[in-house]
Amino acid sequence: MALTPLVYWAQRHEDIYLRVELTDVQNIDVHVDENVLHFSAQGHGAKGQNEYKFSLDFLLPVKPQVSYKSTQRQVNITVHKIQRGWWERLTLRERKPVFLAPDFDRWLDESDAEMEIREKVRVQLGFVSLKTVFLIVYNLVQFLGFSWIFINMTVRLFIIGIDSLYDTFHTISDVMFFCQILALVEVLNAAFGVVKTGVIPTLIQVVGRNFILFIIFGSLEEMHHKPVVFFVFYLWSAIEIFRYPFYMLGCFNTEWKTLTWLRYTVWMPLYPLGVLAEALAVIQSIPIFDESKLFSIPLTKVIGTSVSFSYFLYIYLVLMFLGLFINFSHLYKQRKRRFRTKKRKAN
């Protein structure tokens, strides 16, 4: 014969909390059927080891989905109200079941529950505000950095002419190093959910750029004076001077239509051109790596040779164009979703 356990209850505006006093619980069955909660389980209660059951016919409608968590000492059940509000009692009948009592560990009256909600909202708003400030500062710093690079290179090209292509690394690299190291933050933002974007596309772009900047350009002095540095830096900065202010305005829930169009359109020709410029830089660096043996992997003295770093670069060229396809597809889908949503809103 099934017995009835002791059940304690409390409520909030959106949920009902039940605590069933049973230890060493097994074979738990909790479900809601026609607004009645049914519970059954094997456990040790007030009358020893036995099967325990109870039912509760709720005062107002609840959702059929029920969550519960059992510990060694009790079973905690959460029932979700369909309509947010404060109930005057738990059950449809005014007379309280004898096995039911208030859970004073969680009990709050309506005013205290409202204060609890306001405190949670205040904490959430504080977190959102802190996150927003962080994103605004980050995007502003990156915008200023890439704007300086773009304007500096443009002015030098007009004043000095074609000769400016040969000393781009020495005049621009410090700021570019700073911006690209800082861009690693974007990978962390995506990984920890600070921004809603894919981790893999972000990782491919940031790691790919830093590989070109630090390994291909930074480690080979012979690459510092090649015009390809100018084209890589110029194409990178031309994309970013539209991307970062777009993100910055998004932090204020503000949109400038011209900037939105530029952000989702300019990259379409510039991004593939940037990858082609990066690929050209890799191809130009291969003979230099072969000659200098830099980053080559020495083999045993019996073999008497080493594995050139250029073999890795050939593989990297293939991965680079694979990454181009993945990133381009991701960004193109973003563009389609963006303008499809705007079209719906306009209609």
Side-chain angles (χ1 to χ4, degrees):
M1 178 180 176
L3 302 175
T4 304
L6 295 174
V7 181
Y8 300 90
W9 80 284
Q11 68 170 314
R12 298 295 183 269
H13 287 85
E14 297 177 349
D15 300 308
I16 297 292
Y17 302 117
L18 301 173
R19 175 165 57 87
V20 184
E21 286 291 293
L22 287 177
T23 61
D24 301 324
V25 186
Q26 296 178 343
N27 304 324
I28 301 173
D29 179 26
V30 183
H31 64 276
V32 171
D33 184 19
E34 296 183 353
N35 214 52
V36 178
L37 179 117
H38 301 277
F39 173 92
S40 66
Q42 293 280 344
H44 193 281
K47 297 185 179 181
Q49 187 72 26
N50 213 318
E51 182 183 6
Y52 289 85
K53 292 184 178 181
F54 71 87
S55 297
L56 288 173
D57 191 357
F58 292 114
L59 174 66
L60 294 172
V62 298
K63 296 179 181 179
Q65 298 82 12
V66 179
S67 58
Y68 70 89
K69 182 179 180 181
S70 63
T71 67
Q72 290 184 344
R73 304 181 63 181
Q74 61 196 31
V75 180
N76 297 308
I77 303 171
T78 302
V79 182
H80 307 289
K81 300 176 182 178
I82 288 181
Q83 186 174 359
R84 186 181 185 278
W86 200 259
W87 295 4
E88 62 181 25
R89 62 180 185 273
L90 180 64
T91 57
L92 186 61
R93 293 185 178 182
E94 290 189 16
R95 186 174 180 180
K96 180 177 66 67
V98 293
F99 62 85
L100 188 66
D103 186 351
F104 291 109
D105 291 337
R106 304 193 70 169
W107 192 267
L108 293 176
D109 60 28
E110 186 173 5
S111 60
D112 290 335
E114 289 284 1
M115 290 180 63
E116 182 183 64
I117 292 172
R118 284 197 292 269
E119 179 65 19
K120 288 181 179 179
V121 170
R122 187 185 67 81
V123 172
Q124 290 172 354
L125 288 175
F127 172 74
V128 171
S129 299
L130 183 63
K131 183 179 78 171
T132 302
V133 170
F134 166 72
L135 291 174
I136 290 171
V137 171
Y138 171 78
N139 289 304
L140 177 61
V141 170
Q142 289 287 56
F143 170 66
L144 293 175
F146 280 107
S147 295
W148 182 90
I149 292 171
F150 184 81
I151 294 171
N152 190 298
M153 293 177 69
T154 302
V155 171
R156 286 173 56 81
L157 182 62
F158 277 103
I159 295 176
I160 303 175
I162 197 170
D163 290 340
S164 67
L165 273 61
Y166 297 94
D167 66 348
T168 298
F169 187 86
H170 292 291
T171 57
I172 303 298
S173 62
D174 287 343
V175 179
M176 185 60 80
F177 280 135
F178 171 78
C179 290
Q180 286 305 133
I181 291 173
L182 188 61
L184 293 170
V185 172
E186 296 181 30
V187 180
L188 298 176
N189 287 344
F192 291 105
V194 178
V195 294
K196 295 180 180 180
T197 188
V199 178
I200 300 301
T202 305
L203 184 67
I204 290 173
Q205 179 175 325
V206 173
V207 172
R209 282 190 178 184
N210 280 326
F211 178 82
I212 297 296
L213 181 61
F214 288 93
I215 304 300
I216 303 300
F217 293 154
S219 65
L220 297 176
E221 190 173 349
E222 293 88 343
M223 293 294 295
H224 292 181
H225 302 286
K226 292 190 178 291
V228 70
V229 178
F230 174 90
F231 293 107
V232 170
F233 285 9
Y234 202 72
L235 289 166
W236 285 357
S237 60
I239 294 172
E240 306 301 23
I241 60 174
F242 299 115
R243 186 167 72 98
Y244 285 115
F246 170 80
Y247 289 154
M248 191 164 54
L249 287 178
C251 295
F252 297 100
N253 294 319
T254 303
E255 183 176 348
W256 182 27
K257 292 182 179 179
T258 303
L259 181 61
T260 301
W261 184 86
L262 288 169
R263 184 265 180 275
Y264 284 104
T265 305
V266 166
W267 68 267
M268 295 184 72
L270 294 186
Y271 180 59
L273 287 173
V275 173
L276 288 174
E278 293 173 24
L280 179 61
V282 172
I283 292 170
Q284 290 182 354
S285 71
I286 287 175
I288 304 173
F289 278 112
D290 284 338
E291 183 180 349
S292 65
K293 304 294 183 183
L294 184 64
F295 302 135
S296 294
I297 302 174
L299 300 179
T300 60
K301 292 182 179 180
V302 176
I303 300 175
T305 185
S306 61
V307 178
S308 175
F309 185 66
S310 60
Y311 293 128
F312 170 79
L313 295 180
Y314 288 122
I315 299 172
Y316 181 77
L317 284 170
V318 176
L319 295 177
M320 181 183 293
F321 286 101
L322 179 62
L324 168 63
F325 174 76
I326 294 173
N327 254 342
F328 194 91
S329 299
H330 173 73
L331 292 169
Y332 185 72
K333 287 177 183 177
Q334 274 191 338
R335 185 181 190 275
K336 285 182 68 176
R337 281 198 303 268
R338 184 80 186 185
F339 288 109
R340 190 186 301 125
T341 303
K342 289 182 67 178
K343 190 175 181 180
R344 286 175 183 169
K345 289 181 178 179
N347 293 333

